[in-house]
Amino acid sequence: MLKKLFKSKKESELILKNELLEIEIEKLKNEIRKKDGFLKCKNSLFIEKDNEKKQEKNWQEIEEQLKKYYTENTELREVVKKSEKVISIPHLKFNYLIQIEKYLYEARFKELVEILKKRGNKFVQDLNEYVIEHLSIEDTLKLELKKKFEKFQKLEINWEIKTQLLKGEKLSKIYSKYRKFTNIMINENKEFVCDLDGYRFDILINKGFSLHEIEELKKIYQDYILKYRIKNP
C-alpha cells in the first residue's frame, strides 16, 4: 500500500514537473516568436530605408540632370536670341570699329594693348600681318595675336563683339545719361546704333524733349557714326 502511494506521489510530481516544463517551453516559444517578428520588422524597415535611399539618390541624379538641361536650354535660347539680332540686318552696308582693348580683354594681352594703342592701333581693324609681324613682343604672344586676329576676320568671335561689329554699340551705352530717350527707343524696338539710321530726331519734340536736348541726342549719334562706322567695300 505504501509502495503504491509512494509511486503515485512520485508520478504526480513528475507530471507536475512536466507541466511546468511545458509551460516554460511555451513561454520560450512565445519569446522566440516575438523576437523573430521584431527582427523581420526591422529587416523590412531596413530594406525599405535602403530602397528609399536608392530612390532618393535616383531622384537627386534626375534633378541634377534636369538642372543641367535647363541651363543648357537657357544658354541655347540666349544664343538664338543674339543670333537673331545679328541676322535681322537686311543688308550690311557698314561695319563698326571694335576697340582693341575690348577684343584683347584677357590679362595676358594687357601690356600688348598699351603697346598697340601707343602705336596708333586703337581698333582691331587697324591690325594686319605687317603690324603684327613688326611688334617687339615674344614669339608666343605674337602667335596668339595672329590667331586672335584670324578668328576676328573669320567672325569666330563672341556674340557681343559680333553684334557690335555688325550693328554698332548698344544705345543704352552711348546714351547712358539719357534714360528717357533709351526707354522710348526700347518701346520702339531700337537697341543698337544702326537702328537710328534714318531716325527723325525732331519728332522727339512731341515727346517732351527740348530743342537743345534733341540736338545733343542727334550729335551723339553723328559723332559715333563718324568715329566708329566703316563702309563695306
Side-chain angles (χ1 to χ4, degrees):
M1 183 73 179
L2 287 173
K3 188 177 179 182
K4 187 177 181 180
L5 184 63
F6 179 78
K7 185 177 179 182
S8 297
K9 187 178 179 181
K10 192 171 183 180
E11 284 178 354
S12 297
E13 288 176 353
L14 287 172
I15 290 169
L16 181 62
K17 284 182 180 180
N18 187 56
E19 288 176 353
L20 290 173
L21 283 172
E22 286 179 355
I23 292 170
E24 192 66 29
I25 289 169
E26 191 61 33
K27 284 182 179 179
L28 290 171
K29 283 181 179 179
N30 287 334
E31 189 70 23
I32 289 170
R33 289 191 197 100
K34 287 179 183 179
K35 289 181 178 178
D36 188 50
F38 178 78
L39 288 172
K40 284 180 180 178
C41 181
K42 283 290 183 182
N43 188 50
S44 177
L45 288 171
F46 178 79
I47 291 169
E48 286 178 13
K49 198 70 178 175
D50 190 51
N51 288 336
E52 284 176 9
K53 286 180 180 178
K54 287 178 181 177
Q55 287 178 350
E56 185 180 351
K57 186 179 179 183
N58 289 338
W59 279 113
Q60 286 175 348
E61 288 175 357
I62 291 169
E63 186 180 3
E64 288 299 317
Q65 195 69 33
L66 287 172
K67 285 180 181 177
K68 182 183 175 184
Y69 287 157
Y70 176 79
T71 303
E72 288 175 354
N73 285 343
T74 303
E75 290 172 354
L76 284 173
R77 286 193 197 98
E78 285 300 312
V79 170
V80 171
K81 186 178 176 183
K82 289 177 181 178
S83 63
E84 284 175 346
K85 287 179 182 177
V86 175
I87 294 168
S88 64
I89 306 171
H91 178 61
L92 296 176
K93 293 181 180 179
F94 307 99
N95 280 343
Y96 296 84
L97 294 170
I98 302 295
Q99 299 93 328
I100 196 75
E101 65 271 17
K102 188 163 188 175
Y103 186 56
L104 302 177
Y105 61 87
E106 295 94 337
R108 65 182 182 279
F109 291 125
K110 187 175 180 180
E111 291 183 14
L112 174 58
V113 166
E114 293 304 315
I115 292 170
L116 288 167
K117 288 170 77 172
K118 284 178 182 178
R119 288 170 57 99
N121 307 121
K122 297 179 180 179
F123 306 102
V124 181
Q125 287 90 335
D126 293 330
L127 297 177
N128 54 49
E129 289 184 14
Y130 179 84
V131 169
I132 296 172
E133 198 58 45
H134 287 79
L135 286 170
S136 299
I137 56 176
E138 294 179 2
D139 290 340
T140 53
L141 191 59
K142 189 179 291 186
L143 184 60
E144 278 192 81
L145 179 57
K146 282 182 180 179
K147 289 179 179 179
K148 287 277 286 186
F149 184 59
E150 285 172 5
K151 285 185 176 182
F152 183 84
Q153 290 178 308
K154 295 175 183 177
L155 290 183
E156 294 176 4
I157 51 183
N158 67 50
W159 283 108
E160 183 183 352
I161 292 177
K162 186 181 289 188
T163 306
Q164 185 179 338
L165 174 69
L166 301 177
K167 304 190 77 170
E169 188 61 84
K170 284 188 173 184
L171 296 178
S172 59
K173 184 169 183 179
I174 68 170
Y175 288 108
S176 59
K177 296 180 181 179
Y178 299 86
R179 176 61 70 85
K180 183 181 176 182
F181 175 70
T182 55
N183 286 340
I184 291 171
M185 292 300 99
I186 289 170
N187 290 334
E188 295 182 11
N189 201 29
K190 298 181 189 301
E191 189 176 356
F192 300 93
V193 168
C194 72
D195 296 327
L196 290 180
D197 292 351
Y199 183 74
R200 291 174 54 215
F201 285 87
D202 295 341
I203 64 172
L204 293 171
I205 195 78
N206 300 323
K207 299 182 184 293
F209 289 86
S210 67
L211 290 174
H212 176 69
E213 288 174 327
I214 291 171
E215 285 303 312
E216 282 185 343
L217 294 170
K218 193 186 294 184
K219 188 175 185 304
I220 290 171
Y221 166 74
Q222 291 170 342
D223 287 348
Y224 184 89
I225 293 299
L226 286 172
K227 185 174 181 179
Y228 294 103
R229 179 179 279 182
I230 49 178
K231 192 170 183 177
N232 284 332

